[in-house]
Amino acid sequence: MVAALVRFLSLFLVIVSFHAPAWADSWVKPTPEELQMTAEPEAPGAAAIFLLRDERADDKIHIHTTYVRLKILGEKGKQYADQEINYEGRDFRIAEVEGRTIHSDGTVIPFTGKPYQKLVEKSGTQKYKATVFTLPDVQVGSIIEYRYVLEYESNLVVAPRWYLQGPLYTRKAHFSFLPTEHLLEDGHGGAIPGRVAYTAVLPAGASVVYSPAGKSYSLDVEKISAYPQEDYMPPMHNYTFRTLFYYTIARTTDEYWSTEGKYWSKNVDRFIDAGKLPGVVNQIVSPSDTPAQKLQKIYGAVMTIENTTFTREHSGSEDKALGIRTRTAADIWAQKRGDRNEITRLFVGLARAAGFKAYVGYVTNRDSNLFVADYLEIRQLDDEIAIVEVDGKEKFFDPGERYAGFGELHWKHAATAGIRQIERGTALLLTPSPAYQATTELRSAYLDIQPDGKVKGSVRMVLTGAFALRWREFALNNDDDALKQQFTALVQQEMPAGIEVKTDHFLGLTDWNTNLQAVLSVTGSIGTSAGKRVFLPATFFEAAGHPFFVLDKRTQPIDLNYPYTMQDTVTLKLSAALDVESLPKDTEFMYPQNTLYRAKFTREPGMIKTQRILVIGNVLYKAEEYPQLKDFYQKVNAKDKEPAVLQFATVPLAAAPGNSQ
């Protein structure tokens, strides 16, 4: 938690000059065993392990310190020479970074470089700045050590979050926290004592220890396994061993979220300030419109506003020069510009002005975090969404997500949790799971196969929901060439050997209210000949695909992000030199949880037609459901690879380059 000390204290504290203290301890001297070790019995095959992790937070002098000792055991472990200090969303500055590399013969090479800022892409349009540095001359067998100090303003306190597990096995780890004893601002004009609490998930035998003499907390652990590296995992820090501290005056979870929700809701309503909005609504809707038509028109009007979350934020000096002062939702409408939450609040305000019961929700983004009600920290919430009652039923909207469809949530805002406004007050919120019908990919291919095996044709793709939103938002921050290049690369991965695709153009790229279409050209060679037979990939799009899940066992839940429907129609026009000998058998099979695969193959004069449907109806699966899910995907992959078998009628078909004869 980031909180402020009460202001009369900050007037005194702000004049205190603090710097990163000299390290109280020298570097830990490596043991002969550490220098010569080539493997860790507790972590077979590990490319690197933590020998020691030491994290200390001191809210009395406003610093967090980190000290790490890491052993490189394999070639892949050399990647840990590059280190990243990421404190996204926290008010830190780096005061000191030190490091060194120790070779297995004891040679010490100090880090003499300087850390630098790097823009790191998180996902899609989300980016953050991190401080990075590289340890020198890291080799297999090396021990790398580094330590750094993070400072924050003298009028702030920052309760630590201890995450015990990471991608590497940890031999030993030590954590400590010295809280402040000063009164804290509660963020609402009042003051609270700096009472500390925490929520924890710890390994057997481990516990957080409070020292009455030192008024501090500590935790020591050993032999902590790395978290697993498995495909489609949910945000892993929500499933690992951890201790999350926070300052609070609340006595219960319900009391905290009720109190914080009340202040948040008042701030939302103050911003919405419906005073000027009825006049705006009258410009958008007609008296003869049905309620559904009114809401659609309001949504469409709001979606025309520049969303600075996806374009660029405007500085205070820019706004001042333009005479722009953003105080209410009406200001957002007047200047036709706002960030995601401002636009969401404007939509809710306009809906209320049009006579709807409309509310704002505040949720955790599921792509990076999961809401933890017992962690009494409102900063774990990320984005605001809209909830509107239509014909007696509440529907969810995402107007702050650029190009999100009417009545649809971005998948990171679906099946997640947070808080929301209700008629009188606030309540905890669970957003609905996305529907597989909302996200679709319709792919159609028409290919002309020549006697020499050359192929020429086209592919048309129609995308909706999450599939369309991904590319529309990508286009906001990239030019047309980059968009085509990325889209082509994605489709190319699914093509049979010898086939090359190229994206020609898009339709509906900037229109949230229509389907997104992509048109691609297809060239190359297809098919493998063996004697008098030719084998063609009957499903075409998935012929080169690989099974999603290949591990024998699964330890963590599976998160597929969003459900979807994929439907393919492929027409292969055959040369007169080829006759159809056999086609794969039609098939259909299901997995118990709303998952379906269907494939149908038909022959017509001079051509083969394939229709394929894949429906993935659920988002989250438990680890114990993995065997069935794996079996389903393996069956899908096997069926997708079944070929159509042709016979040479006259001229043999040349094999595609690189294919066996």
Side-chain angles (χ1 to χ4, degrees), residues 377-573:
E377 173 55 87
I378 199 168
R379 288 174 180 249
Q380 65 179 300
L381 304 178
D382 298 298
D383 296 335
E384 292 179 350
I385 61 171
I387 307 164
V388 184
E389 186 176 307
V390 183
D391 297 329
K393 184 178 181 180
E394 286 192 336
K395 293 187 177 182
F396 290 75
F397 300 84
D398 216 341
E401 192 70 32
R402 191 72 176 105
Y403 296 131
F406 181 78
E408 296 178 4
L409 294 174
H410 189 290
W411 70 263
K412 67 184 177 183
H413 298 150
T416 187
I419 59 176
R420 60 161 291 174
Q421 296 178 313
I422 55 176
E423 192 66 27
R424 292 183 177 85
T426 60
L428 292 178
L429 166 68
L430 178 63
T431 60
S433 297
Y436 66 83
Q437 300 94 332
T439 294
T440 62
E441 183 171 285
L442 308 180
R443 303 181 294 189
S444 58
Y446 188 90
L447 308 175
D448 191 347
I449 303 176
Q450 300 299 314
D452 60 357
K454 298 295 184 182
V455 172
K456 188 175 182 180
S458 63
V459 167
R460 181 178 292 269
M461 300 175 63
V462 181
L463 310 176
T464 70
F467 289 144
L469 192 56
R470 168 188 177 180
W471 294 107
R472 284 175 167 148
E473 291 186 346
F474 181 88
L476 286 169
N477 293 287
N478 296 274
D479 61 23
D480 188 58
D481 288 340
L483 173 64
K484 289 180 178 179
Q485 182 180 4
Q486 288 291 321
F487 193 83
T488 297
L490 179 68
V491 178
Q492 186 67 58
Q493 294 175 4
E494 302 167 348
M495 293 293 102
I499 291 295
E500 182 177 348
V501 295
K502 182 179 180 181
T503 303
D504 293 327
H505 62 276
F506 293 91
L507 298 171
L509 187 61
T510 60
D511 188 351
W512 62 272
N513 204 28
T514 64
N515 297 335
L516 173 62
Q517 297 186 53
V519 179
L520 303 91
S521 60
V522 179
T523 57
S525 301
I526 194 171
T528 301
S529 62
K532 295 183 178 180
R533 289 184 173 88
V534 177
F535 299 88
L536 294 180
T539 58
F540 184 68
F541 287 109
E542 299 294 333
H546 300 283
F548 273 12
F549 304 108
V550 295
L551 297 177
D552 292 334
K553 296 181 180 180
R554 179 88 183 195
T555 62
Q556 298 299 322
I558 299 97
D559 184 353
L560 298 179
N561 297 338
Y562 48 84
Y564 61 88
T565 298
M566 185 174 290
Q567 183 171 329
D568 300 334
T569 302
V570 179
T571 300
L572 304 178
K573 183 181 178 183

Side-chain angles (χ1 to χ4, degrees), residues 55-60 63-65 152 158-160 162 175-179:
E55 298 182 18
R56 307 183 186 195
D58 190 333
D59 265 345
K60 288 190 173 182
I63 65 170
H64 286 198
T65 63
Y152 41 101
V158 184
W162 298 341
F175 304 86
S176 67
F177 174 36
L178 183 60

Side-chain angles (χ1 to χ4, degrees), residues 50 52-55 160-176 198-208 218-227 236-245:
F50 287 118
L52 173 67
R53 290 174 54 210
D54 190 312
E55 298 182 18
R161 299 177 294 213
W162 298 341
Y163 292 103
L164 279 59
Q165 284 180 287
L168 300 179
Y169 173 84
T170 301
R171 277 192 170 183
K172 291 185 178 182
H174 171 76
F175 304 86
S176 67
Y198 62 86
T199 178
V201 177
L202 299 174
S207 62
V208 176
S218 64
L219 173 64
D220 289 277
V221 292
E222 297 183 357
K223 298 181 179 180
I224 301 297
S225 60
Y227 61 62
M236 277 309 299
H237 55 271
N238 289 106
Y239 290 87
T240 59
F241 298 131
R242 62 196 182 275
T243 301
L244 310 176
F245 284 93

Side-chain angles (χ1 to χ4, degrees), residues 8-306:
F8 73 88
L9 287 172
S10 67
L11 292 176
F12 167 76
L13 291 170
V14 78
I15 66 174
V16 178
S17 176
F18 61 87
H19 298 282
W23 291 98
D25 301 318
S26 61
W27 297 108
V28 173
K29 183 178 180 180
T31 66
E33 183 269 337
E34 290 175 338
L35 290 172
Q36 299 304 315
M37 69 179 295
T38 58
E40 169 55 62
E42 299 289 339
I49 65 165
F50 287 118
L51 298 172
L52 173 67
R53 290 174 54 210
D54 190 312
E55 298 182 18
R56 307 183 186 195
D58 190 333
D59 265 345
K60 288 190 173 182
I61 59 174
H62 314 284
I63 65 170
H64 286 198
T65 63
T66 297
Y67 175 32
V68 173
R69 302 181 66 238
L70 194 152
K71 177 71 177 185
I72 309 300
L73 298 173
E75 283 294 327
K76 290 185 178 179
K78 292 162 68 173
Q79 66 180 300
Y80 294 102
D82 298 317
Q83 289 296 323
E84 174 185 311
I85 304 173
N86 172 27
Y87 44 96
E88 180 187 8
R90 307 205 115 189
D91 301 326
F92 290 116
R93 62 176 176 268
I94 297 174
E96 183 177 345
V97 177
E98 296 180 334
R100 64 177 189 168
T101 301
I102 307 174
H103 290 167
S104 56
D105 63 1
T107 302
V108 177
I109 305 173
F111 168 66
T112 58
K114 291 184 178 181
Y116 62 93
Q117 291 286 306
K118 180 181 179 182
L119 192 63
V120 180
E121 184 169 321
K122 183 177 181 180
S123 62
T125 59
Q126 296 183 338
K127 298 179 181 179
Y128 63 87
K129 283 187 176 181
T131 298
V132 298
F133 59 95
T134 301
L135 280 303
D137 196 26
V138 174
Q139 305 172 7
V140 175
S142 296
I143 293 173
I144 60 175
E145 294 181 284
Y146 58 89
R147 51 196 183 190
Y148 55 86
V149 177
L150 299 178
E151 292 180 344
Y152 41 101
E153 297 295 336
S154 57
N155 66 325
L156 296 179
V157 291
V158 184
R161 299 177 294 213
W162 298 341
Y163 292 103
L164 279 59
Q165 284 180 287
L168 300 179
Y169 173 84
T170 301
R171 277 192 170 183
K172 291 185 178 182
H174 171 76
F175 304 86
S176 67
F177 174 36
L178 183 60
T180 184
E181 297 177 1
H182 292 298
L183 291 176
L184 305 176
E185 292 182 354
D186 64 0
H188 314 298
I192 62 173
R195 186 171 73 83
V196 172
Y198 62 86
T199 178
V201 177
L202 299 174
S207 62
V208 176
V209 177
Y210 177 70
S211 168
K215 297 182 178 179
S216 63
Y217 298 83
S218 64
L219 173 64
D220 289 277
V221 292
E222 297 183 357
K223 298 181 179 180
I224 301 297
S225 60
Y227 61 62
Q229 300 293 321
E230 299 172 341
D231 293 334
Y232 296 96
M233 293 191 301
M236 277 309 299
H237 55 271
N238 289 106
Y239 290 87
T240 59
F241 298 131
R242 62 196 182 275
T243 301
L244 310 176
F245 284 93
Y246 52 90
Y247 291 98
T248 183
I249 196 173
R251 290 163 296 182
T252 66
T253 297
D254 289 342
E255 178 185 346
Y256 174 82
W257 290 112
S258 176
T259 301
E260 289 300 313
K262 177 183 67 175
Y263 285 112
W264 163 76
S265 181
K266 284 184 176 180
N267 180 59
V268 168
D269 290 340
R270 190 181 303 115
F271 183 85
I272 287 176
D273 183 19
K276 297 181 180 179
L277 296 183
V280 175
V281 169
N282 291 335
Q283 301 171 25
I284 299 172
V285 305
S286 300
S288 59
D289 290 335
T290 65
Q293 289 171 334
K294 288 181 180 180
L295 197 60
Q296 284 184 320
K297 286 185 176 181
I298 291 170
Y299 190 85
V302 168
M303 291 296 278
T304 65
I305 293 174
E306 178 190 355

